[in-house]
Amino acid sequence: MKISRLLVANRGEIACRIFRTCRRLGIHAIAVYSDADRDALHVRLADEAHRVGPAAARESYLDMDAILAAARASRADAIHPGYGFLSENAAFAEACGGVGIRFVGPGTDAIRAMGLKHEAKAIVAAAGVPVVPGYMGEEQSEARLVAEAARVGFPLLVKAVAGGGGKGMRVVREAAALPEALRGARSEAESAFGDGRLMLERFLERPRHVEVQVFGDAHGNCVHLFERECSVQRRYQKIIEESPSPFIDAATRAAMTAAAVRAAKAVGYVNAGTIEFIVGGDGAFYFMEMNTRLQVEHPVTELVTGLDLVEWQLRVASGEPLPLRQEAIQSRGHAIEARIYSEDPRRGFLPSVGRVRRFAHPPASADWRIDSGIADGDAISVHYDPMIAKVVASGADRAAALASLRRNLDRTAVFGVGNNLALLRTIARHPAFAAGDVDTGFVDRELAVLTADVPPPPEALLLAASLALADRAPPAGAGHSPWQLADGWRAGGEPVQAIGLRTPAFLRLRARRQGGSLVLEGEGTSLRGTVAIADGRYLVDAGRGPQSLELIRDGEMLQVVGESATSLALAPAWPFERSVEDADAHPASPLPGRVVDLRVKAGDRVEKGEVLAVVEGMKMQHAIRAGRAGRILQVLARQGELVDAEAILFDIGPA
């Protein structure tokens, strides 16, 4: 029976993605929402929507009774669980069948069989699928686990039986560290999954993560849709995926995809699923787990096969056979997906919450796809996953796809919340990634390098300074009177304006117009150049010839796109700066923050450029420097004190 009314028991990006296929197929799309998502994009895109509870996921999107009540009220004939939440919950799949509503996913037996890692490994091993040596027994005493660890050998991986997302997982390199690792992993597993059972695996150094998309139907057919490389991860969670894998060869691909189909057939699998493998440096692969749902990264498979996997899911759930046989499924070209998260890579990937003022990106095209769950003005909530969007670049080969990814990431910006775009751009340009030579530990191992501050190019500084000066243009009706200009004009000299830039470190610069040039000085910076506008782009010459730059702007936030993307922010003018000399004598905090390091006291002699204090704000530390040589007359803040933006911290007099 064909599905005509589909309820999506999810939110955000995946709900929006499923509704897209519903519209194309003429299926009535039904959304559910929590109180926090009342005005969310997925609600706005649906044909109808039903409230399922308060903001907390356990009281809304994880409330099976509320979801089923919404399905009955909306007369849904099927429920698509998306990914996460109830998507791999066998009890929910069973409950759907119990009330006569189809569950778009596998049967409950397959979900249960693959839900516990140790049982799944036993099943696939019996089907001839290679598994990593380890211990998956029921005996869970510490003494037994210690003994089995000695048999498996070090280094080894302690994993939660019911785990996922890196929770309940520890790498142990020597026997002395094992007891503490077991206790920590067990405690974390009990808290996260309500199941403290553990398993042991041989740990492969610098492994790769490669998975195979499989599809089965109720008529006994099962196929694969090739592999995806998912080795670029942070803390065991994927951030960049691609297909085909740049690492495995044709023989390994054939063996791996055949093994994946055997694993799926071993549990009579129906609908979309993914067999995940860990791959050693020698190319040997081992079963890791099966995800009994649609994966976040399914768009890369869609782009290389030309198929709509959600449509396949709905057809299979309607009782139809698979649309294609194995020999008709082809992989062409290359696709790379990057996940944009609202998080701070510099602070342990802590989620960043707030309102997205603007999500700017190139429009979808033949080589560029955007799957998003937010629009301008939408909020990122503390209650749910911080994913903003997935962007996917494709091309005739990997080089073309990578070029598209770099070009389009540079032209993508998120204003209003912290995000990982700078990290994604850096990875996309890293030589190891370009060579396809990364493993699952690459990001964590290289994080300091990947998130290091890169000095902005001189062209970006000149453009930002030009915009800052333009923002301080005279008000309407001011005429040409120098007394009404906010440009730092003074009698007997060139007009000089103090401006502030965050790059992200704070810079105080002096800008002046001199003839047709713009001159910048301060904090080790000395630049002279020109800025012009032509056909909506900026032509900036900082002494190495005109460079054509694009600008993405949201208020004081700037993204300058040239050879790569540079993010800067214009700092507000400081009202106490009546002259450049006055500013030099009165160093101030550029933003609200806490004085975390006070290095001078009244009476101290200081040199120009000397660090006087450090203020921490906006998750970063900013050095407050002397603008002139002299003697500290007053210290106007205390160590540990909270200060406002523009607060003067020191009074510097003559030496």
Side-chain angles (χ1 to χ4, degrees), residues 323-336:
L324 295 174
R325 300 182 65 84
Q326 186 68 70
E327 58 270 18
I329 303 170
Q330 301 294 319
S331 176
R332 297 182 177 87
H334 202 98
I336 310 174

Side-chain angles (χ1 to χ4, degrees), residues 78-96:
I79 292 178
H80 194 306
Y83 51 72
F85 294 134
L86 296 170
S87 62
E88 296 181 277
N89 188 308
F92 179 64
E94 192 169 52
C96 289

Side-chain angles (χ1 to χ4, degrees), residues 201-530:
E201 283 183 355
R202 174 74 56 80
F203 180 70
L204 302 181
E205 295 285 359
R206 300 200 173 186
R208 291 173 178 264
H209 184 150
V210 181
E211 63 189 27
V212 176
Q213 177 74 61
V214 294
F215 239 105
D217 63 24
H219 305 275
N221 303 306
C222 186
V223 299
H224 71 80
L225 284 79
F226 301 97
E227 86 283 357
R228 296 184 289 257
E229 170 91 37
C230 307
S231 296
V232 181
Q233 306 178 4
R234 43 78 160 140
R235 300 189 173 181
Y236 302 108
Q237 293 183 314
K238 307 163 189 172
I239 51 176
I240 295 180
E241 306 94 354
E242 60 183 302
S243 183
S245 167
F247 178 67
I248 65 173
D249 56 24
T252 304
R253 177 174 294 110
M256 184 182 289
T257 52
V261 171
R262 290 199 303 274
K265 286 184 174 180
V267 291
Y269 198 81
V270 174
N271 218 276
T274 304
I275 307 295
E276 304 204 358
F277 295 98
I278 190 168
V279 185
D282 59 356
F285 62 89
Y286 307 94
F287 173 85
M288 188 162 53
E289 64 182 358
M290 182 178 194
N291 285 309
T292 54
R293 55 172 168 79
L294 192 68
Q295 291 279 81
V296 176
E297 57 272 20
H298 75 275
V300 296
T301 296
E302 293 185 323
L303 288 178
V304 297
T305 61
L307 304 173
D308 183 332
L309 299 195
V310 173
E311 178 181 351
W312 274 43
Q313 285 191 290
L314 299 178
R315 292 191 182 283
V316 167
S318 297
E320 297 180 22
L322 292 175
L324 295 174
R325 300 182 65 84
Q326 186 68 70
E327 58 270 18
I329 303 170
Q330 301 294 319
S331 176
R332 297 182 177 87
H334 202 98
I336 310 174
E337 173 183 288
R339 305 186 191 186
I340 303 175
Y341 282 107
S342 176
E343 63 185 13
D344 187 351
R346 296 167 181 263
R347 296 176 64 87
F349 298 96
L350 286 174
S352 175
V353 300
R355 196 164 296 280
V356 176
R357 293 198 308 267
R358 184 182 175 200
F359 177 32
H361 55 77
S365 64
D367 67 347
W368 180 244
R369 168 174 165 175
I370 307 101
D371 283 15
S372 177
I374 61 100
D376 293 358
D378 287 351
I380 303 294
S381 168
V382 297
H383 299 288
Y384 315 117
D385 184 271
M387 183 186 289
I388 294 173
K390 303 177 309 196
V391 292
V392 198
S394 58
D397 53 27
R398 190 171 189 267
L402 184 54
S404 172
L405 181 70
R406 291 170 174 170
R407 181 177 64 253
N408 287 294
L409 280 179
D410 282 348
R411 290 158 178 80
T412 300
V414 176
F415 299 108
V417 293
N419 59 80
N420 68 334
L421 270 166
L423 174 66
L424 295 175
R425 295 187 197 107
T426 304
I427 293 172
R429 282 186 162 81
H430 196 284
F433 183 72
D437 186 21
V438 295
D439 56 77
T440 57
F442 166 71
V443 172
D444 292 337
R445 192 169 57 247
E446 300 292 328
L447 188 60
V449 173
L450 294 171
T451 58
D453 287 342
V454 177
E459 290 82 7
L461 288 179
L462 283 172
L463 176 54
S466 176
L467 294 169
L469 292 178
D471 287 350
R472 299 177 189 186
H480 297 287
S481 170
W483 313 113
Q484 298 188 50
L485 298 180
D487 65 355
W489 182 92
R490 53 183 176 159
E494 291 285 346
V496 179
Q497 178 68 61
I499 62 173
L501 298 176
R502 292 194 297 273
T503 66
F506 180 75
L507 288 176
R508 172 179 286 155
L509 301 174
R510 308 287 175 252
R512 70 179 187 274
R513 300 284 184 184
Q514 193 173 65
S517 297
L518 176 63
V519 179
L520 286 183
E521 294 175 329
E523 299 203 13
T525 300
S526 180
L527 290 174
R528 176 187 293 269
T530 59

Side-chain angles (χ1 to χ4, degrees), residues 163-220:
K167 295 181 176 66
M169 187 179 294
R170 299 288 190 278
V171 177
V172 184
R173 298 190 177 278
E174 55 185 17
L178 182 61
E180 180 60 29
L182 293 172
R183 287 190 287 270
R186 193 184 304 279
S187 175
E188 196 171 279
E190 288 172 346
S191 175
F193 314 113
D195 187 341
R197 288 178 296 168
L198 303 174
M199 56 188 287
L200 307 176
E201 283 183 355
R202 174 74 56 80
F203 180 70
L204 302 181
E205 295 285 359
R206 300 200 173 186
R208 291 173 178 264
H209 184 150
V210 181
E211 63 189 27
V212 176
Q213 177 74 61
V214 294
F215 239 105
D217 63 24
H219 305 275

